[in-house]
Amino acid sequence: MSDGPKLYTNKPKKGQLKPKAKDYSTPVPNPSTPKMESSQSTPPPPPKESFARRYKFLWPLLLTVNLAVGAYLFMRTGNKDTGTEAEEVAQEVPSAPVESTAVPVPEKTLAVPIVVEPIKVHKPIQENEQRQLFKWMLEEKRNTKPENASEKKCIDEEKAILKQFIRAKSIPTF
């Protein structure tokens, strides 16, 4: 039998290998001590498996979750295309003075598709009707009771603007 290279399926540790005989460091076996053969005869622990093999039950779960997230994102982007139709309708309507008020939309309702109604163009209001409307607004501003000085200053500025519109020869269109 030759002491050639041995091929191990499980590589033994240094402590499990037989020490090579050296002249100056060869220990003399003591018959009174118990033999160490019993610890050397136990099989070495099995090798560590790779991460992928240890957690192979997680791969199908990971792929399923990834597919579900991808499908959710794909479906969500499909619903956003409905806003382009409202822009086309707005371009076809002739430009006219229209006041629009911005309504704040809570973020929770964004998941529900919002139906956009086309902008209705109303007939322009005549100048005498606008003057009557400005006079009515001025009366309402006069009836309001300001709570502090800054609010009073703001109301006074708005009343001054309304008075300018009422006294003007022609009312500007917006």
Side-chain angles (χ1 to χ4, degrees):
M1 211 156 95
S2 66
D3 278 330
K6 295 181 182 180
L7 300 175
Y8 296 105
T9 56
N10 299 323
K11 185 177 176 183
K13 295 182 179 177
K14 283 187 176 181
Q16 294 174 342
L17 291 174
K18 292 181 183 177
K20 292 184 180 178
K22 293 184 182 176
D23 297 343
Y24 54 88
S25 65
T26 308
V28 178
N30 191 354
S32 62
T33 60
K35 294 186 178 182
M36 300 282 286
E37 291 178 18
S38 63
S39 67
Q40 289 181 355
S41 66
T42 59
K48 271 190 162 182
E49 293 180 346
S50 67
F51 179 79
R53 289 186 186 250
R54 271 187 285 169
Y55 299 106
K56 64 183 174 184
F57 61 90
L58 287 177
W59 290 113
L61 177 69
L62 181 66
L63 291 174
T64 305
V65 168
N66 194 6
L67 181 66
V69 169
Y72 170 74
L73 291 175
F74 178 74
M75 294 303 292
R76 211 176 99 206
T77 56
N79 293 341
K80 290 184 179 178
D81 294 338
T82 59
T84 56
E85 297 173 64
E87 292 173 2
E88 293 172 0
V89 171
Q91 290 175 357
E92 293 174 4
V93 176
S95 61
V98 176
E99 289 188 28
S100 63
T101 57
V103 177
V105 178
E107 291 183 19
K108 291 182 181 178
T109 61
L110 290 179
V112 179
I114 299 173
V115 179
V116 179
E117 295 180 8
I119 300 172
K120 296 179 181 178
V121 179
H122 299 287
K123 296 178 184 177
I125 302 172
Q126 296 176 358
E127 281 192 32
N128 59 356
E129 292 176 356
Q130 284 183 356
R131 285 195 203 305
Q132 290 175 357
L133 184 64
F134 287 144
K135 288 178 184 178
W136 175 80
M137 290 171 64
L138 183 61
E139 287 299 320
E140 291 296 317
K141 295 286 181 185
R142 287 179 181 157
N143 292 338
T144 56
K145 304 287 183 195
E147 294 180 2
N148 53 28
S150 63
E151 191 174 328
K152 182 176 179 1
K153 184 178 178 183
C154 181
I155 291 174
D156 288 340
E157 289 174 359
E158 291 173 357
K159 288 194 306 190
I161 293 171
L162 287 171
K163 288 177 184 177
Q164 286 177 357
F165 283 143
I166 293 170
R167 293 177 189 151
K169 291 183 179 179
S170 64
I171 298 175
T173 57
F174 298 102

